[in-house]
Amino acid sequence: MMSMKTGFRPFVPAAVAAAVLAACGGGDGEQVPLNAKPAYLGAIAETAYDGSSNDLLTAGLGATGMAAALPPAYADPLKPTAAELRRTAIHTNYRAMLDMTAAGGYGLLYGPNVDAQGKVTAGEGKVAGTEYIAFADDGTGRKNVTLMVQVPASFDPRKPCMITATTSGSRGVYGGISTGEWGLKRGCAVAYSDKGTGGAPHDLQNDTVPLIDGTRTTATAAGKDAAFNAGLTASELAAFNKATPDRFAFKHAHSGQNAEKDWGTTTLQAVEFGYYVLNQRHGETNAAGQRLKTLTPRNTIVIASSISNGGGAAIAAAEQDTQGLISGVAVSEPALELPANPGVTVRRGSTEVAVTGKTLVDFTTYANLYQACASLAPSVSASPFAAAFAAGFASAALPIAPNRCAALKTAGLLSASTTAAQAEEALQKLRAYGWEPESNDLHASLAAFEVAPAVAVTFANSLSRSSVKDHLCGFSYAATATTGAVVPLAAAALPGMFATGNGVPPSGGINLVNNLGKLGPARDFLSFSDAGVADWNTAGALCLRNLVTGTDAAARKLQAGVDETRRNGNLRGKPAVIVHGRADALLPVSHTSRPYAALNKKIEGAASRLSYVEVANAQHFDSFIGLPTVLPGYDTRYVPLHVYLNHALDAVYEHLANGKALPASQVVRTVPRGGTPGSAPAITAVNVPPLATVPAAANAIAIAAGAISIPD
């Protein structure tokens, strides 16, 4: 029988596979094993959806409803039902990943109404099937990673397939739904993991927690069934609330688990859950009527997929896949933690990139220092949101960003004397630390949306296993007034946060707070330094940076956590395609996909079957392209990277199912839509050319053992 590591695996029907295994058992005692529920799985909730009133992909909303800016309202905003929360979670998370405008490609290049072959249909794209949800835990109730398997009604046990869709960012389990869409349309089961993150917090003031379905109850009533509990004793909680009232703890930041170290494991658990479900439904039965494990890696195609942090989890799962559960990998813009000394080089054009392969917490704490200042650089004044950023963060009344520039000079990190010159210097520092020149135009919008501080605080807490009561670097999470002062959260905000939160505040009305502000705790960018200056909490940013570069106990704790998350580059010979946008300013390509491809070739040599696709005019947040009134200029400059995730999945599936060659590593020369910022002409297929099986020489990426060369 063909091995998982074989490049082309013709489909072997499950019944035939079972017969062969049974026959083999006659000679050496091997028997087809019973289908057993994995020991780490808790109670499994099973719900069937008819594909009309409700469904797996759109929660009954269809392509039209998903295009609407808002989902249907809750009957009772203070107590939404589990079904209402699921519907809103699917609507919110799908839209958070994609450009949902028709001009940007929704309904034409992708979307529920676009079928598996890329054909635009007149239907709503609802997918009938059954959804299974359970916790994966070690018996303590402290992990409670949410796993979910969706099995479309079109699943064919004679030609079984499954993909993973581990959640991106720090979202809940529906955070991977836009990836899962590809599998559902193909008739594949989809295995999801929230990887130990989620949007619903522990409300510490009122001691309420989320359950697996997003509804809330008291921590006492939930017990071990809480999706997340910050784990404070009664006395600790009382002291915490007295000192810092109205605060919230989030699972990614405050679980104390260093969840990232287990992202590969929980993704593999999702696959195992998928196999269990599929065999319970479609496995052969023995004489006693018991289900057997007849759907196995020998006859089932499994593609590890997702985007961003979820893409990194898929890579981690492939590296850790000692059982051969995964057939291939197709990911987009993955977060990849390289070894401390990977021994690889990255070259773009004729120039070697000097700084590469830094970890996410490293380059994000660096961005957190410099990005707000760099966004004032005259050279990027025409970039998306730059003018609005200057108006909001560099006004005469509240010159927060210029004050950050000045504070960096005071700290000895900048040398120029004027704000404009300091901003250009800060921008150059980002370039020198591994950002592409194409990322320059993205810094202002990312700074305005507080992306770097949000991610830096979350990952610093998680990696160092800090408790919410530690207030790492003086940060906490709370609702704030327009002045920045901490206030109680609006009553209607918390009940739906499972569905609307992204798990990385600012989110859902909860903001990042500096507890150490001179004038008292305040929203991070509105807080005042010890000198009485609103400098975007430079002291907090320096503290976070010291955790990466320092040698004190707190720094060593974080650094030890980072070491637990590093990848090794060994994909075990699995066919794989990584796609990444060249302009990505959140996960720069020279710190992630580029050096990983070189490392993989160094480790696997001739056995490597990884193709790396770098997409010109693409960046990390497709959804930002779909905000032309808020971020005009994204629409004229950038194309949706999601198109190329779908191409990667197509390519890996066709390779595994039919032996079609994978596309070689390449740069895809997309064509920006152009036109007037905010009203770019509608996208067409010309803007997003397909992957070439063999690219033109000028587009070919060369990967050797420990070295990658990218054409300009």
Side-chain angles (χ1 to χ4, degrees):
M1 198 166 288
M2 229 167 230
S3 162
M4 273 287 299
K5 292 185 170 64
T6 306
F8 169 40
R9 301 189 305 112
F11 169 69
V12 180
V16 174
V20 171
L21 283 171
C24 290
D28 58 11
E30 180 182 357
Q31 299 294 325
V32 182
L34 293 175
N35 187 42
K37 178 182 172 183
Y40 51 78
L41 280 180
I44 300 172
E46 175 183 344
T47 308
Y49 296 104
D50 60 14
S52 177
S53 63
N54 210 331
D55 76 300
L56 298 179
L57 177 59
T58 75
L61 298 173
T64 301
M66 295 293 275
L70 296 173
Y74 302 135
D76 180 354
L78 298 181
K79 198 170 184 179
T81 66
E84 289 175 327
L85 288 167
R86 176 183 180 272
R87 181 179 63 198
T88 299
I90 287 175
H91 179 272
T92 300
N93 284 284
Y94 187 92
R95 292 178 57 84
M97 299 300 113
L98 305 177
D99 178 352
M100 295 296 293
T101 63
Y106 180 74
L108 173 68
L109 301 177
Y110 53 85
N113 66 304
V114 180
D115 69 16
Q117 288 70 47
K119 179 182 177 182
V120 177
T121 73
E124 287 291 321
K126 298 178 184 180
V127 179
T130 307
E131 188 170 283
Y132 304 80
I133 297 181
F135 279 142
D137 190 52
D138 57 5
T140 66
R142 297 297 304 146
K143 289 186 178 293
N144 277 359
V145 173
T146 303
L147 304 182
M148 179 172 73
V149 176
Q150 292 182 322
V151 184
S154 58
F155 179 87
D156 185 353
R158 298 167 302 174
K159 194 175 181 181
C161 56
M162 185 188 336
I163 72 166
T164 71
T166 301
T167 187
S168 64
S170 302
R171 295 174 177 273
V173 74
Y174 291 100
I177 192 71
S178 63
T179 298
E181 177 178 17
W182 183 96
L184 296 175
K185 289 176 178 178
R186 284 271 183 178
C188 299
V190 184
Y192 301 83
S193 168
D194 74 1
K195 66 185 192 320
T197 64
H202 183 169
D203 175 358
L204 298 163
Q205 187 70 47
N206 299 295
D207 202 17
T208 66
V209 295
L211 299 174
I212 195 170
D213 62 5
T215 59
R216 300 186 67 85
T217 189
T218 65
T220 300
K224 290 184 179 181
D225 291 330
F228 169 59
N229 183 314
L232 303 185
T233 66
S235 60
E236 287 173 336
L237 183 61
F240 180 96
N241 285 331
K242 182 177 180 180
T244 50
D246 299 313
R247 301 304 204 275
F248 297 85
F250 283 82
K251 190 168 186 178
H252 189 174
H254 298 131
S255 71
Q257 304 286 326
N258 188 12
E260 188 179 358
K261 73 178 175 58
D262 295 324
W263 287 356
T265 298
T266 59
T267 298
L268 288 170
Q269 288 176 336
V271 174
E272 290 176 331
F273 185 19
Y275 271 119
Y276 172 72
V277 165
L278 293 176
N279 279 303
Q280 283 297 99
R281 292 171 61 98
H282 302 292
E284 300 294 314
T285 56
N286 62 14
Q290 297 168 304
R291 290 288 185 179
L292 304 174
K293 279 188 178 179
T294 49
L295 292 174
T296 72
R298 301 188 185 194
N299 54 46
T300 305
I301 290 174
V302 177
I303 303 174
S305 185
S306 195
I307 69 172
S308 194
N309 289 344
I315 294 286
E319 289 188 354
Q320 296 167 4
D321 183 21
T322 59
Q323 300 180 70
L325 298 172
I326 293 170
S327 318
V329 178
V331 298
S332 177
E333 57 189 25
L336 297 167
E337 314 289 19
L338 274 288
N341 297 292
V344 302
T345 60
V346 175
R347 181 175 296 274
R348 176 175 171 182
S350 60
T351 303
E352 183 173 322
V353 181
V355 181
T356 68
K358 298 293 185 182
T359 62
L360 184 150
V361 74
D362 185 330
F363 59 74
T364 304
T365 55
Y366 196 88
N368 188 34
L369 273 177
Y370 292 105
Q371 200 168 53
C373 178
S375 298
L376 299 177
S379 61
V380 296
S381 61
S383 65
F385 212 74
F389 178 86
F393 297 95
S395 67
L398 197 60
I400 304 170
N403 288 346
R404 167 57 69 87
C405 294
L408 291 173
K409 182 179 182 183
T410 299
L413 298 176
L414 295 177
S415 60
S417 298
T418 66
T419 296
Q422 289 164 352
E424 293 290 359
E425 186 181 358
L427 182 63
Q428 182 53 40
K429 281 185 174 289
L430 293 173
R431 283 280 296 109
Y433 209 69
W435 275 263
E436 295 299 297
E438 289 85 352
S439 297
N440 286 1
D441 285 350
L442 295 162
H443 292 308
S445 53
L446 298 194
F449 290 172
E450 300 172 76
V451 172
V455 174
V457 170
T458 292
F459 274 82
N461 274 279
S462 181
L463 291 163
S464 60
R465 292 181 168 88
S466 293
S467 167
V468 66
K469 64 184 173 65
D470 294 333
H471 296 299
L472 186 66
C473 289
F475 290 101
S476 67
Y477 298 128
T480 58
T482 55
T483 60
V486 172
V487 297
L489 182 67
L494 185 60
M497 205 168 295
F498 164 87
T500 58
N502 64 18
V504 192
S507 174
I510 297 176
N511 294 315
L512 188 60
V513 168
N514 173 17
N515 289 341
L516 305 179
K518 183 175 183 179
L519 304 183
R523 186 168 183 177
D524 186 46
F525 68 78
L526 291 173
S527 63
F528 284 75
S529 70
D530 288 345
V533 177
D535 61 1
W536 211 313
N537 189 13
T538 303
L542 289 169
C543 177
L544 291 169
R545 184 63 185 156
N546 180 71
L547 295 174
V548 176
T549 62
T551 58
D552 58 25
R556 291 196 304 271
K557 192 176 179 183
L558 177 135
Q559 292 157 17
V562 169
D563 287 341
E564 293 179 309
T565 69
R566 296 184 188 275
R567 303 273 55 85
N568 60 39
N570 185 1
L571 289 173
R572 300 174 180 267
K574 301 179 193 295
V577 177
I578 295 174
V579 300
H580 209 135
R582 174 172 281 186
D584 195 325
L586 177 65
L587 300 175
V589 286
S590 284
H591 289 309
T592 51
S593 295
R594 285 177 176 177
Y596 185 84
L599 176 65
N600 170 259
K601 192 70 171 180
K602 177 182 177 181
I603 298 300
E604 293 198 75
S608 170
R609 292 156 69 199
L610 169 63
S611 293
Y612 171 53
V613 176
E614 189 163 296
V615 182
N617 308 304
Q619 46 81 49
H620 199 83
F621 298 102
D622 278 7
S623 60
F624 286 8
I625 309 172
L627 301 173
T629 59
V630 178
L631 294 171
Y634 268 77
D635 57 341
T636 57
R637 289 169 167 83
Y638 305 116
V639 301
L641 188 60
H642 183 67
V643 169
Y644 292 96
L645 172 63
N646 287 338
H647 286 334
L649 280 159
D650 290 341
V652 173
Y653 181 86
E654 286 300 317
H655 176 73
L656 292 167
N658 301 312
K660 185 176 180 180
L662 289 177
S665 296
Q666 61 193 274
V667 173
V668 179
R669 309 290 183 180
T670 65
V671 181
R673 289 155 62 192
T676 302
S679 57
I683 198 168
T684 70
V686 173
N687 298 106
V688 283
L691 303 181
T693 303
V694 180
N699 299 332
I701 294 175
I703 306 176
I708 185 169
S709 182
I710 316 287
D712 266 329

